[in-house]
Amino acid sequence: MQTKKHFDQHIVEEGFFGHEINQTTYNLARMNMFLHSINYDKFQIRRGDTLTAPQFLDDKPYDAIVSNPPYSLRWIGADDPVLINDERFAPASVLAPKSKADFAFVLHALHYLSSKGRAAIVSFPGIFYRGGAEKKIRQYLVDSNFVETVIGLPPNLFFGTSIAVNILVLAKNKTDTAIQFIDASGEDFFEKETNNNVMTDDHIARIVELFGSKEDVAHVAQLVQYDTIVENGYNLSVNSYVEPVDTRETVDIEALNAEIEGIVARQSKLRAEIDGIVADLEGGGA
């Protein structure tokens, strides 16, 4: 429903589609459609396992996909010999690890994405730097020029987890091979509210502006060339490319040395005075 707000100036031809395995969430999603005045003939939300029983394989590709899949979910993976031939996963030539299905959800979304659309997927940060099959899938995504932007979010945004997650933005119509990285985890991008951090409309608007401009902003946004990504082992972590603000105190070495010299001089003078007092005491005692 939040995504729908950005389509008010566009004609939504086919409607809205959703896929959910949890019965309660499935019911709530359908109720939400009616509550937001989406007619029954303008949405299809189906229940089932997204990875092993996809519901919309014969439908058209979609121009806008948003997804918040479960993090590091276990799935059947390579134990099902048929999955490697699935048209969603086959192009990457490898399946997501059985203990971490994150990239299976990413490849699922990518398969449904139209040639002019974008997919925004809330992702566990570990998938952007871990090795093994996940690195191979990152290589496929980068070499195929599907990765547009990786956005690092503040911690403690979502109920149930305090980790700072990322948003992976995929597109099939990029005009160059560079990848944008945005660090939106700083205090300028959220407000503290009770037990959670909250991003206001202004914070979100700033991220959208950064995303749209693709301009470099010190300590916040960086457009990184393909060759640099390859040299860095297809690492897609935001903090590998956006240098954080150095909050350490700046020390003036010359001033510090002068202060130390002053302390040493005062210490020497004090030592001489103490030695003189001791000498006087010793002379009086004799």
Side-chain angles (χ1 to χ4, degrees):
M1 291 298 95
Q2 292 296 322
T3 306
K4 177 182 177 295
K5 295 179 181 179
H6 298 278
F7 287 87
D8 289 342
Q9 304 302 319
H10 303 274
I11 298 175
V12 180
E13 296 178 355
E14 300 295 332
F16 301 86
F17 298 77
H19 201 306
E20 173 58 46
I21 192 172
N22 181 277
Q23 181 71 59
T24 300
T25 308
Y26 163 79
N27 290 334
L28 288 172
R30 289 171 57 84
M31 289 173 58
N32 244 349
M33 291 291 166
F34 293 116
L35 290 173
H36 288 83
S37 302
I38 306 297
N39 292 331
Y40 71 91
D41 60 338
K42 282 296 183 181
F43 74 85
Q44 292 188 48
I45 298 177
R46 299 177 186 172
R47 182 168 177 260
D49 189 314
T50 304
L51 301 181
T52 59
Q55 299 292 305
F56 300 104
L57 284 180
D58 296 329
D59 287 275
K60 295 180 180 180
Y62 302 99
D63 295 330
I65 296 176
V66 290
S67 176
N68 184 12
Y71 310 139
S72 301
L73 179 74
R74 295 191 64 86
W75 74 308
I76 191 170
D79 285 347
D80 184 347
V82 177
L83 281 177
I84 192 59
N85 297 318
D86 189 299
E87 58 185 350
R88 297 169 295 165
F89 312 128
S93 301
V94 65
L95 294 173
K98 291 188 294 183
S99 60
K100 304 176 184 69
D102 306 76
F103 266 126
F105 287 103
V106 170
L107 292 174
H108 170 88
L110 178 67
H111 174 74
Y112 282 98
L113 188 63
S114 74
S115 60
K116 62 179 180 179
R118 284 192 176 102
I121 306 163
V122 182
S123 305
F124 184 76
I127 71 171
F128 295 99
Y129 60 80
R130 290 189 299 230
E134 292 180 313
K135 179 181 178 181
K136 293 179 181 178
I137 296 174
R138 288 198 307 273
Q139 180 174 350
Y140 161 70
L141 294 174
V142 173
D143 287 348
S144 301
N145 202 27
F146 292 142
V147 181
E148 182 173 3
T149 303
V150 181
I151 305 170
L153 297 180
N156 207 29
L157 278 181
F158 300 96
F159 293 103
T161 181
S162 61
I163 62 173
V165 299
N166 294 346
I167 295 178
L168 172 63
V169 181
L170 302 177
K172 293 182 177 179
N173 60 347
K174 290 176 60 183
T175 57
D176 59 49
T177 59
I179 297 176
Q180 181 189 37
F181 294 87
I182 299 175
D183 185 356
S185 64
E187 294 183 356
D188 293 341
F189 288 95
F190 69 92
E191 294 179 358
K192 292 186 178 296
E193 188 174 290
T194 62
N195 295 326
N196 280 79
N197 295 326
V198 175
M199 300 186 78
T200 66
D201 289 343
D202 290 340
H203 296 136
I204 295 171
R206 186 182 176 200
I207 295 174
V208 172
E209 182 180 356
L210 289 167
F211 173 80
S213 70
K214 295 294 189 292
E215 294 181 357
D216 293 342
V217 178
H219 311 300
V220 177
Q222 187 72 36
L223 194 64
V224 180
Q225 299 302 315
Y226 167 78
D227 291 342
T228 302
I229 303 292
V230 175
E231 291 172 4
N232 205 20
Y234 294 93
N235 186 324
L236 295 179
S237 295
V238 173
N239 58 15
S240 295
Y241 304 101
V242 180
E243 183 180 0
V245 176
D246 190 349
T247 58
R248 296 174 298 178
E249 182 181 357
T250 302
V251 178
D252 187 332
I253 300 300
E254 293 184 0
L256 180 61
N257 286 333
E259 184 179 355
I260 293 173
E261 289 177 2
I263 293 173
V264 171
R266 289 195 297 273
Q267 185 181 40
S268 298
K269 180 181 179 182
L270 182 60
R271 173 57 63 186
E273 292 174 352
I274 293 174
D275 289 343
I277 293 171
V278 171
D280 288 344
L281 292 173
E282 289 177 344

